[in-house]
Amino acid sequence: MPYEKKRKQIITEKRIHATMKKIMIIDGSPRKNMNTAAMVAAFVEGVREGGGEAKVVRLYDLDYKGCRSCMACQLKGPRANSCRFPDGLTETLKECTEADGLVIASPIYYGEVTAMTRAFWERLTYPWLNYSTAIFKAPMSIPVTFIYTMNGMPSNGEKVRRSSMRSVETMTSVALGHKVEVLMANNTTQVNDYSRYEFPESIIESKKQWRDAHWEEDLAKAREAGKQMVTVGQ
Ligand SMILES: Cc1cc2nc3c(=O)[nH]c(=O)nc-3n(C[C@H](O)[C@H](O)[C@H](O)COP(=O)(O)O)c2cc1C
């Protein structure tokens, strides 16, 4: 390619890259190839289709714990934008504050997100709490989507939201200054080969029927949500 043409191409690519929206996707499932991972992959596809960039972080690959109440984020002086405790989550938390959109995806374990997801959320949000002003506000204003996958039916999913997740969703939404979006995949396939596990035949059959009727639609919704996050900002 002639030098001048190549130069123009590099400049154009750089410009596109500079304006490209970056979406941080936090995957709180321990399993890398099952339901939550598939919903996350579909969301990523949508982000890319919309012209954005997606970074997926699998929390179970990182070495960290929940908030230790070290209170470093509440020290006098310039406010901390993200958690000051140095460990395997530090870089991810920083990247979240620099992102143009945030997705928190998790299986539901005993009516809540996984312990790793909860620990991540504590670390993400506690520096946003300002005791002297009583204001809970993130340094960035970006759209946020929660993705839950679960055995339960949609009505059970709503129950989970009412009993445990709604306050987390609302606090995140208020702090980020955006309405929260929630996607759910219900009655998920829990294992690939049911013949090896102690599941009653009736459950296996009803799960298969549910999956045939809903799974592709769940993935399509995740894909569309990814596209929307970069194109319209939600
Ligand atoms: C420890 C554990 C607890 C679970 N608790 C619930 C629950 O309370 N409600 C529910 O609907 N599903 C529950 N499930 C099922 C998972 O939420 C469901 O299979 C999910 O889609 C798994 O996500 P994954 O495929 O990404 O691992 C539980 C699974 C495990 C392993």
CSV table of all heavy atoms in Angstrom, one decimal, residues 69-121:
chain,number,residue,atom,x,y,z
A,69,SER,N,-13.1,-3.3,54.7
A,69,SER,CA,-13.4,-2.2,55.6
A,69,SER,C,-12.1,-1.5,56.1
A,69,SER,O,-12.0,-1.0,57.2
A,69,SER,CB,-14.2,-2.6,56.9
A,69,SER,OG,-14.8,-1.5,57.5
A,70,CYS,N,-11.1,-1.4,55.2
A,70,CYS,CA,-9.9,-0.7,55.5
A,70,CYS,C,-10.1,0.8,55.6
A,70,CYS,O,-9.3,1.5,56.2
A,70,CYS,CB,-8.8,-1.0,54.5
A,70,CYS,SG,-9.0,-0.2,52.8
A,71,MET,N,-11.2,1.3,55.0
A,71,MET,CA,-11.6,2.7,55.0
A,71,MET,C,-10.7,3.6,54.3
A,71,MET,O,-10.8,4.8,54.4
A,71,MET,CB,-11.8,3.2,56.5
A,71,MET,CG,-12.9,2.3,57.2
A,71,MET,SD,-14.5,2.3,56.4
A,71,MET,CE,-15.2,3.8,56.9
A,72,ALA,N,-9.7,3.1,53.5
A,72,ALA,CA,-8.8,3.9,52.8
A,72,ALA,C,-9.6,4.8,51.8
A,72,ALA,O,-9.1,6.0,51.5
A,72,ALA,CB,-7.8,3.1,52.0
A,73,CYS,N,-10.7,4.3,51.3
A,73,CYS,CA,-11.5,5.1,50.3
A,73,CYS,C,-12.2,6.3,51.0
A,73,CYS,O,-12.7,7.2,50.3
A,73,CYS,CB,-12.5,4.3,49.6
A,73,CYS,SG,-13.7,3.5,50.6
A,74,GLN,N,-12.3,6.3,52.4
A,74,GLN,CA,-13.0,7.3,53.1
A,74,GLN,C,-12.0,8.3,53.8
A,74,GLN,O,-12.5,9.1,54.6
A,74,GLN,CB,-14.0,6.7,54.1
A,74,GLN,CG,-15.0,5.7,53.5
A,74,GLN,CD,-15.9,6.3,52.6
A,74,GLN,OE1,-16.2,7.6,52.6
A,74,GLN,NE2,-16.5,5.6,51.7
A,75,LEU,N,-10.7,8.2,53.5
A,75,LEU,CA,-9.8,9.1,54.2
A,75,LEU,C,-10.0,10.5,53.8
A,75,LEU,O,-10.5,10.8,52.7
A,75,LEU,CB,-8.3,8.7,53.8
A,75,LEU,CG,-7.7,7.4,54.4
A,75,LEU,CD1,-6.4,7.0,53.7
A,75,LEU,CD2,-7.5,7.7,55.9
A,76,LYS,N,-9.6,11.4,54.7
A,76,LYS,CA,-9.7,12.9,54.3
A,76,LYS,C,-8.8,13.1,53.1
A,76,LYS,O,-7.8,12.4,53.0
A,76,LYS,CB,-9.3,13.7,55.5
A,76,LYS,CG,-10.4,13.8,56.5
A,76,LYS,CD,-10.1,14.7,57.7
A,76,LYS,CE,-11.3,14.7,58.6
A,76,LYS,NZ,-11.0,15.3,59.9
A,77,GLY,N,-9.1,14.2,52.4
A,77,GLY,CA,-8.2,14.5,51.2
A,77,GLY,C,-9.0,14.2,49.9
A,77,GLY,O,-10.2,13.9,50.0
A,78,PRO,N,-8.3,14.2,48.8
A,78,PRO,CA,-9.0,13.9,47.5
A,78,PRO,C,-9.7,12.6,47.6
A,78,PRO,O,-9.1,11.6,48.1
A,78,PRO,CB,-7.9,13.9,46.5
A,78,PRO,CG,-6.7,14.4,47.2
A,78,PRO,CD,-6.9,14.3,48.6
A,79,ARG,N,-10.9,12.5,47.1
A,79,ARG,CA,-11.7,11.3,47.2
A,79,ARG,C,-11.2,10.2,46.2
A,79,ARG,O,-10.7,10.5,45.1
A,79,ARG,CB,-13.2,11.5,46.8
A,79,ARG,CG,-13.9,12.3,47.9
A,79,ARG,CD,-15.4,12.0,48.0
A,79,ARG,NE,-15.7,10.6,48.1
A,79,ARG,CZ,-15.8,9.9,49.2
A,79,ARG,NH1,-15.5,10.5,50.4
A,79,ARG,NH2,-16.1,8.6,49.2
A,80,ALA,N,-11.2,9.0,46.7
A,80,ALA,CA,-10.8,7.9,45.8
A,80,ALA,C,-11.9,7.5,44.8
A,80,ALA,O,-13.1,7.5,45.2
A,80,ALA,CB,-10.5,6.6,46.7
A,81,ASN,N,-11.6,7.4,43.6
A,81,ASN,CA,-12.6,7.0,42.6
A,81,ASN,C,-12.8,5.5,42.6
A,81,ASN,O,-13.9,5.1,42.3
A,81,ASN,CB,-12.1,7.4,41.2
A,81,ASN,CG,-12.3,8.8,40.9
A,81,ASN,OD1,-13.1,9.5,41.7
A,81,ASN,ND2,-11.7,9.4,39.9
A,82,SER,N,-11.8,4.7,43.0
A,82,SER,CA,-12.1,3.3,43.1
A,82,SER,C,-11.3,2.8,44.3
A,82,SER,O,-10.4,3.5,44.9
A,82,SER,CB,-11.7,2.6,41.9
A,82,SER,OG,-10.4,2.7,41.6
A,83,CYS,N,-11.6,1.5,44.7
A,83,CYS,CA,-11.1,0.9,45.9
A,83,CYS,C,-9.5,1.0,45.9
A,83,CYS,O,-8.8,0.7,45.0
A,83,CYS,CB,-11.5,-0.6,45.9
A,83,CYS,SG,-10.8,-1.5,47.3
A,84,ARG,N,-9.0,1.3,47.1
A,84,ARG,CA,-7.6,1.5,47.2
A,84,ARG,C,-6.8,0.3,47.7
A,84,ARG,O,-5.6,0.3,47.9
A,84,ARG,CB,-7.3,2.7,48.2
A,84,ARG,CG,-7.6,4.0,47.6
A,84,ARG,CD,-7.4,5.2,48.5
A,84,ARG,NE,-7.3,6.4,47.9
A,84,ARG,CZ,-7.5,7.6,48.4
A,84,ARG,NH1,-7.9,7.7,49.7
A,84,ARG,NH2,-7.4,8.7,47.7
A,85,PHE,N,-7.6,-0.8,48.0
A,85,PHE,CA,-6.9,-2.0,48.5
A,85,PHE,C,-6.3,-2.7,47.3
A,85,PHE,O,-7.0,-3.2,46.4
A,85,PHE,CB,-7.9,-2.9,49.3
A,85,PHE,CG,-7.2,-4.0,50.0
A,85,PHE,CD1,-6.8,-3.8,51.3
A,85,PHE,CD2,-6.9,-5.2,49.4
A,85,PHE,CE1,-6.1,-4.8,52.0
A,85,PHE,CE2,-6.3,-6.2,50.0
A,85,PHE,CZ,-5.9,-6.0,51.4
A,86,PRO,N,-4.9,-2.9,47.4
A,86,PRO,CA,-4.3,-3.5,46.2
A,86,PRO,C,-4.4,-5.1,46.2
A,86,PRO,O,-3.9,-5.7,47.1
A,86,PRO,CB,-2.8,-3.1,46.4
A,86,PRO,CG,-2.6,-2.9,47.8
A,86,PRO,CD,-4.0,-2.6,48.4
A,87,ASP,N,-5.0,-5.6,45.2
A,87,ASP,CA,-5.1,-7.0,45.0
A,87,ASP,C,-5.5,-7.3,43.6
A,87,ASP,O,-5.5,-6.5,42.7
A,87,ASP,CB,-6.0,-7.7,46.0
A,87,ASP,CG,-7.4,-7.4,45.9
A,87,ASP,OD1,-7.8,-6.7,45.0
A,87,ASP,OD2,-8.2,-7.8,46.8
A,88,GLY,N,-6.0,-8.5,43.3
A,88,GLY,CA,-6.3,-9.0,42.0
A,88,GLY,C,-7.5,-8.3,41.3
A,88,GLY,O,-7.7,-8.5,40.1
A,89,LEU,N,-8.2,-7.5,42.1
A,89,LEU,CA,-9.4,-6.8,41.6
A,89,LEU,C,-9.1,-5.4,41.2
A,89,LEU,O,-9.9,-4.7,40.5
A,89,LEU,CB,-10.5,-6.9,42.6
A,89,LEU,CG,-11.9,-6.6,42.1
A,89,LEU,CD1,-12.3,-7.6,41.0
A,89,LEU,CD2,-13.0,-6.6,43.2
A,90,THR,N,-8.0,-4.8,41.7
A,90,THR,CA,-7.7,-3.4,41.5
A,90,THR,C,-7.8,-2.9,40.1
A,90,THR,O,-8.5,-1.9,39.9
A,90,THR,CB,-6.2,-3.1,42.1
A,90,THR,OG1,-6.1,-3.7,43.4
A,90,THR,CG2,-5.9,-1.6,42.1
A,91,GLU,N,-7.1,-3.6,39.2
A,91,GLU,CA,-7.1,-3.1,37.8
A,91,GLU,C,-8.5,-3.1,37.2
A,91,GLU,O,-8.9,-2.2,36.5
A,91,GLU,CB,-6.2,-4.0,37.0
A,91,GLU,CG,-5.9,-3.6,35.6
A,91,GLU,CD,-5.4,-2.2,35.4
A,91,GLU,OE1,-4.7,-1.7,36.3
A,91,GLU,OE2,-5.7,-1.5,34.4
A,92,THR,N,-9.3,-4.2,37.5
A,92,THR,CA,-10.7,-4.3,37.0
A,92,THR,C,-11.5,-3.2,37.5
A,92,THR,O,-12.3,-2.6,36.8
A,92,THR,CB,-11.3,-5.7,37.4
A,92,THR,OG1,-10.5,-6.7,36.8
A,92,THR,CG2,-12.7,-5.8,36.9
A,93,LEU,N,-11.4,-2.8,38.8
A,93,LEU,CA,-12.2,-1.8,39.3
A,93,LEU,C,-11.9,-0.4,38.7
A,93,LEU,O,-12.7,0.4,38.4
A,93,LEU,CB,-11.9,-1.7,40.9
A,93,LEU,CG,-12.5,-2.9,41.7
A,93,LEU,CD1,-12.0,-2.8,43.1
A,93,LEU,CD2,-14.0,-2.9,41.6
A,94,LYS,N,-10.6,-0.2,38.4
A,94,LYS,CA,-10.2,1.0,37.8
A,94,LYS,C,-10.8,1.1,36.4
A,94,LYS,O,-11.3,2.1,35.9
A,94,LYS,CB,-8.6,1.1,37.7
A,94,LYS,CG,-8.1,2.4,37.2
A,94,LYS,CD,-6.5,2.4,37.4
A,94,LYS,CE,-5.9,3.5,36.6
A,94,LYS,NZ,-5.8,3.1,35.1
A,95,GLU,N,-10.7,-0.1,35.7
A,95,GLU,CA,-11.2,-0.1,34.3
A,95,GLU,C,-12.7,0.2,34.3
A,95,GLU,O,-13.2,0.7,33.3
A,95,GLU,CB,-10.9,-1.5,33.7
A,95,GLU,CG,-9.5,-1.6,33.2
A,95,GLU,CD,-9.2,-2.9,32.5
A,95,GLU,OE1,-9.1,-3.9,33.2
A,95,GLU,OE2,-9.2,-3.0,31.3
A,96,CYS,N,-13.4,-0.3,35.3
A,96,CYS,CA,-14.9,0.0,35.4
A,96,CYS,C,-15.1,1.5,35.5
A,96,CYS,O,-16.1,2.0,34.9
A,96,CYS,CB,-15.5,-0.7,36.6
A,96,CYS,SG,-15.6,-2.5,36.4
A,97,THR,N,-14.3,2.2,36.2
A,97,THR,CA,-14.5,3.7,36.3
A,97,THR,C,-14.2,4.4,35.0
A,97,THR,O,-14.7,5.5,34.8
A,97,THR,CB,-13.7,4.3,37.5
A,97,THR,OG1,-12.4,4.2,37.1
A,97,THR,CG2,-14.0,3.6,38.8
A,98,GLU,N,-13.5,3.7,34.1
A,98,GLU,CA,-13.1,4.4,32.8
A,98,GLU,C,-14.0,3.9,31.7
A,98,GLU,O,-13.9,4.4,30.6
A,98,GLU,CB,-11.6,4.0,32.5
A,98,GLU,CG,-10.7,4.7,33.4
A,98,GLU,CD,-9.3,4.0,33.4
A,98,GLU,OE1,-9.1,3.0,32.7
A,98,GLU,OE2,-8.4,4.5,34.1
A,99,ALA,N,-14.9,2.9,32.0
A,99,ALA,CA,-15.7,2.3,30.9
A,99,ALA,C,-16.9,3.2,30.5
A,99,ALA,O,-17.3,4.2,31.2
A,99,ALA,CB,-16.2,1.0,31.3
A,100,ASP,N,-17.5,2.9,29.3
A,100,ASP,CA,-18.7,3.6,28.9
A,100,ASP,C,-19.9,2.9,29.2
A,100,ASP,O,-21.0,3.3,28.9
A,100,ASP,CB,-18.6,3.9,27.3
A,100,ASP,CG,-17.3,4.7,27.0
A,100,ASP,OD1,-17.3,5.8,27.4
A,100,ASP,OD2,-16.4,4.1,26.3
A,101,GLY,N,-19.8,1.7,29.7
A,101,GLY,CA,-21.0,0.9,30.1
A,101,GLY,C,-20.5,-0.2,31.0
A,101,GLY,O,-19.3,-0.7,30.9
A,102,LEU,N,-21.4,-0.7,31.8
A,102,LEU,CA,-21.0,-1.8,32.7
A,102,LEU,C,-22.1,-2.9,32.7
A,102,LEU,O,-23.3,-2.6,32.7
A,102,LEU,CB,-20.9,-1.2,34.2
A,102,LEU,CG,-20.6,-2.2,35.3
A,102,LEU,CD1,-19.2,-2.8,35.2
A,102,LEU,CD2,-20.7,-1.5,36.7
A,103,VAL,N,-21.6,-4.1,32.7
A,103,VAL,CA,-22.5,-5.3,32.8
A,103,VAL,C,-22.1,-6.2,33.9
A,103,VAL,O,-20.9,-6.4,34.1
A,103,VAL,CB,-22.5,-6.1,31.5
A,103,VAL,CG1,-23.4,-7.3,31.6
A,103,VAL,CG2,-22.9,-5.2,30.3
A,104,ILE,N,-23.0,-6.5,34.8
A,104,ILE,CA,-22.7,-7.4,35.9
A,104,ILE,C,-23.5,-8.7,35.7
A,104,ILE,O,-24.8,-8.6,35.8
A,104,ILE,CB,-23.0,-6.8,37.3
A,104,ILE,CG1,-22.1,-5.5,37.4
A,104,ILE,CG2,-22.7,-7.8,38.4
A,104,ILE,CD1,-22.4,-4.7,38.7
A,105,ALA,N,-22.9,-9.8,35.3
A,105,ALA,CA,-23.6,-11.0,35.0
A,105,ALA,C,-23.3,-12.1,36.1
A,105,ALA,O,-22.1,-12.2,36.5
A,105,ALA,CB,-23.2,-11.5,33.6
A,106,SER,N,-24.3,-12.8,36.5
A,106,SER,CA,-24.1,-13.8,37.5
A,106,SER,C,-25.2,-14.9,37.5
A,106,SER,O,-26.3,-14.6,37.3
A,106,SER,CB,-24.0,-13.2,38.9
A,106,SER,OG,-23.9,-14.1,39.9
A,107,PRO,N,-24.8,-16.1,37.9
A,107,PRO,CA,-25.8,-17.1,38.2
A,107,PRO,C,-26.5,-16.7,39.5
A,107,PRO,O,-25.8,-16.0,40.3
A,107,PRO,CB,-25.1,-18.4,38.3
A,107,PRO,CG,-23.6,-18.2,38.0
A,107,PRO,CD,-23.4,-16.7,38.0
A,108,ILE,N,-27.6,-17.2,39.8
A,108,ILE,CA,-28.3,-17.0,41.1
A,108,ILE,C,-28.0,-18.2,41.9
A,108,ILE,O,-28.2,-19.4,41.6
A,108,ILE,CB,-29.8,-16.8,40.9
A,108,ILE,CG1,-30.0,-15.5,40.2
A,108,ILE,CG2,-30.5,-16.8,42.3
A,108,ILE,CD1,-29.5,-14.2,40.8
A,109,TYR,N,-27.3,-17.9,43.1
A,109,TYR,CA,-27.0,-19.0,44.1
A,109,TYR,C,-27.8,-18.7,45.3
A,109,TYR,O,-27.6,-17.6,46.0
A,109,TYR,CB,-25.5,-19.0,44.4
A,109,TYR,CG,-24.6,-19.7,43.4
A,109,TYR,CD1,-25.1,-20.1,42.2
A,109,TYR,CD2,-23.2,-19.8,43.7
A,109,TYR,CE1,-24.2,-20.7,41.2
A,109,TYR,CE2,-22.4,-20.4,42.8
A,109,TYR,CZ,-22.9,-20.9,41.5
A,109,TYR,OH,-22.0,-21.5,40.7
A,110,TYR,N,-28.7,-19.6,45.7
A,110,TYR,CA,-29.5,-19.4,46.9
A,110,TYR,C,-30.1,-18.0,47.0
A,110,TYR,O,-30.1,-17.3,48.0
A,110,TYR,CB,-28.7,-19.6,48.2
A,110,TYR,CG,-28.2,-21.1,48.3
A,110,TYR,CD1,-26.9,-21.4,48.2
A,110,TYR,CD2,-29.2,-22.1,48.5
A,110,TYR,CE1,-26.5,-22.7,48.3
A,110,TYR,CE2,-28.8,-23.4,48.5
A,110,TYR,CZ,-27.5,-23.7,48.5
A,110,TYR,OH,-27.1,-25.0,48.5
A,111,GLY,N,-30.7,-17.6,45.9
A,111,GLY,CA,-31.5,-16.4,45.8
A,111,GLY,C,-30.7,-15.1,45.7
A,111,GLY,O,-31.2,-14.0,45.8
A,112,GLU,N,-29.4,-15.2,45.5
A,112,GLU,CA,-28.6,-14.0,45.3
A,112,GLU,C,-27.5,-14.2,44.2
A,112,GLU,O,-27.4,-15.3,43.7
A,112,GLU,CB,-27.8,-13.7,46.6
A,112,GLU,CG,-28.8,-13.5,47.8
A,112,GLU,CD,-28.2,-12.8,48.9
A,112,GLU,OE1,-27.1,-12.1,48.8
A,112,GLU,OE2,-28.7,-13.0,50.0
A,113,VAL,N,-26.8,-13.2,43.8
A,113,VAL,CA,-25.7,-13.4,42.9
A,113,VAL,C,-24.6,-14.2,43.6
A,113,VAL,O,-24.6,-14.3,44.9
A,113,VAL,CB,-25.1,-12.0,42.4
A,113,VAL,CG1,-26.1,-11.4,41.4
A,113,VAL,CG2,-24.8,-11.1,43.6
A,114,THR,N,-23.6,-14.7,42.9
A,114,THR,CA,-22.6,-15.5,43.5
A,114,THR,C,-21.8,-14.6,44.5
A,114,THR,O,-21.7,-13.4,44.4
A,114,THR,CB,-21.6,-16.1,42.5
A,114,THR,OG1,-21.0,-15.0,41.8
A,114,THR,CG2,-22.3,-17.0,41.5
A,115,ALA,N,-21.1,-15.3,45.5
A,115,ALA,CA,-20.3,-14.6,46.5
A,115,ALA,C,-19.3,-13.7,45.8
A,115,ALA,O,-19.0,-12.6,46.3
A,115,ALA,CB,-19.7,-15.6,47.4
A,116,MET,N,-18.7,-14.2,44.8
A,116,MET,CA,-17.6,-13.4,44.1
A,116,MET,C,-18.2,-12.1,43.5
A,116,MET,O,-17.6,-11.1,43.5
A,116,MET,CB,-17.0,-14.2,43.0
A,116,MET,CG,-16.2,-15.4,43.4
A,116,MET,SD,-14.7,-15.0,44.3
A,116,MET,CE,-13.5,-14.8,43.0
A,117,THR,N,-19.4,-12.2,43.0
A,117,THR,CA,-20.1,-11.1,42.3
A,117,THR,C,-20.4,-10.0,43.4
A,117,THR,O,-20.2,-8.8,43.3
A,117,THR,CB,-21.4,-11.5,41.6
A,117,THR,OG1,-21.1,-12.6,40.7
A,117,THR,CG2,-21.9,-10.3,40.8
A,118,ARG,N,-20.9,-10.5,44.5
A,118,ARG,CA,-21.3,-9.7,45.6
A,118,ARG,C,-20.0,-8.9,46.1
A,118,ARG,O,-20.0,-7.7,46.4
A,118,ARG,CB,-21.9,-10.5,46.7
A,118,ARG,CG,-22.2,-9.8,48.0
A,118,ARG,CD,-23.3,-8.8,47.9
A,118,ARG,NE,-23.3,-7.9,49.0
A,118,ARG,CZ,-24.4,-7.1,49.3
A,118,ARG,NH1,-25.5,-7.2,48.7
A,118,ARG,NH2,-24.3,-6.3,50.3
A,119,ALA,N,-18.9,-9.7,46.3
A,119,ALA,CA,-17.7,-9.1,46.8
A,119,ALA,C,-17.2,-8.1,45.8
A,119,ALA,O,-16.7,-7.0,46.2
A,119,ALA,CB,-16.6,-10.2,46.9
A,120,PHE,N,-17.3,-8.3,44.5
A,120,PHE,CA,-16.9,-7.4,43.5
A,120,PHE,C,-17.7,-6.1,43.7
A,120,PHE,O,-17.2,-5.0,43.7
A,120,PHE,CB,-17.1,-7.9,42.1
A,120,PHE,CG,-17.3,-6.9,41.0
A,120,PHE,CD1,-16.1,-6.3,40.5
A,120,PHE,CD2,-18.5,-6.5,40.6
A,120,PHE,CE1,-16.3,-5.2,39.5
A,120,PHE,CE2,-18.7,-5.5,39.6
A,120,PHE,CZ,-17.6,-4.9,39.1
A,121,TRP,N,-19.0,-6.3,43.8
A,121,TRP,CA,-19.9,-5.1,43.9
A,121,TRP,C,-19.6,-4.2,45.2
A,121,TRP,O,-19.6,-3.0,45.1
A,121,TRP,CB,-21.4,-5.6,44.0
A,121,TRP,CG,-22.4,-4.5,43.9
A,121,TRP,CD1,-22.7,-3.8,42.8
A,121,TRP,CD2,-23.1,-3.9,45.0
A,121,TRP,NE1,-23.7,-2.8,43.1
A,121,TRP,CE2,-23.9,-2.8,44.4
A,121,TRP,CE3,-23.1,-4.1,46.4
A,121,TRP,CZ2,-24.7,-2.1,45.2
A,121,TRP,CZ3,-24.0,-3.4,47.1
A,121,TRP,CH2,-24.8,-2.3,46.6
